[in-house]
Amino acid sequence: MRVLRDGAEELIPSDELRVGDLFSVRPGEKIATDGVVVDGASALDQSLLTGESAPVEVTAGDEIAGATINTYGRLVVRATRVGTETTLAQIARLVEQAQNGKAPAQRLADRVSAVFVPVVIAIALATVAGWLATGASASAAFTAAVAVLIIACPCALGLATPRH
């Protein structure tokens, strides 16, 4: 990436960029980090962050997010957030927390299912044993056990479905 130091562009790795550094972004390049446009005008493809397909026009004074793509003009940007503090990093962190966390209803459903499933299996096995003990055929006994499982299935599905 090109950092402006003493009026000249200097190439440095992106991870060496610090808050307050000025860097330039040429057409077609990705914005390295969050910042404020100091000089220039362009349009940024922000579809990665916003899903918006149309580029957004930016000029001096506009805040911009890292990981967006400069479409046509040269921009000089002052870095305001770097590393784990950028908008993209925060979005990634929130998504990870949402995927790892469970809602209270999901935790309750997990606890109920931990008891419900073994009980239903035990009832199905008891049904087979009961039918066989009364002299019914194996086919009838297994049909009755399958009926128990079929009746219990919608209930288990309801327990497993997360709710808000």
Side-chain angles (χ1 to χ4, degrees):
M1 85 168 319
R2 292 172 196 82
V3 175
L4 300 176
R5 295 200 174 130
D6 300 323
E9 287 187 1
E10 179 182 325
L11 285 173
I12 65 166
S14 296
D15 59 345
E16 291 181 14
L17 187 66
R18 302 289 174 243
V19 172
D21 282 349
L22 289 176
F23 62 96
S24 69
V25 185
R26 294 181 179 167
E29 291 182 338
K30 190 178 285 189
I31 308 292
T33 192
D34 295 357
V36 175
V37 177
V38 175
D39 186 39
S42 185
L44 299 182
D45 177 356
Q46 298 179 336
S47 59
L48 174 72
L49 296 177
T50 65
E52 177 63 41
S53 61
V56 177
E57 296 289 328
V58 295
T59 59
D62 290 339
E63 290 189 19
I64 60 174
T68 56
I69 298 172
N70 183 14
T71 60
Y72 67 81
R74 180 180 180 271
L75 296 173
V76 175
V77 180
R78 181 178 314 280
T80 56
R81 287 181 287 213
V82 296
T84 60
E85 300 305 315
T86 64
T87 302
L88 184 61
Q90 290 174 2
I91 290 171
R93 191 168 39 252
L94 289 171
V95 168
E96 185 178 337
Q97 287 173 355
Q99 287 176 334
N100 291 336
K102 284 189 177 183
Q106 285 177 299
R107 286 193 289 277
L108 175 62
D110 289 347
R111 286 198 306 268
V112 171
S113 294
V115 174
F116 182 79
V117 171
V119 167
V120 168
I121 291 173
I123 292 171
L125 292 174
T127 301
V128 169
W131 277 73
L132 291 175
T134 61
S137 69
S139 175
F142 282 106
T143 299
V146 168
V148 168
L149 296 174
I150 289 172
I151 296 300
C153 184
C155 185
L157 181 62
L159 284 173
T161 304
R163 292 180 177 77
H164 299 101

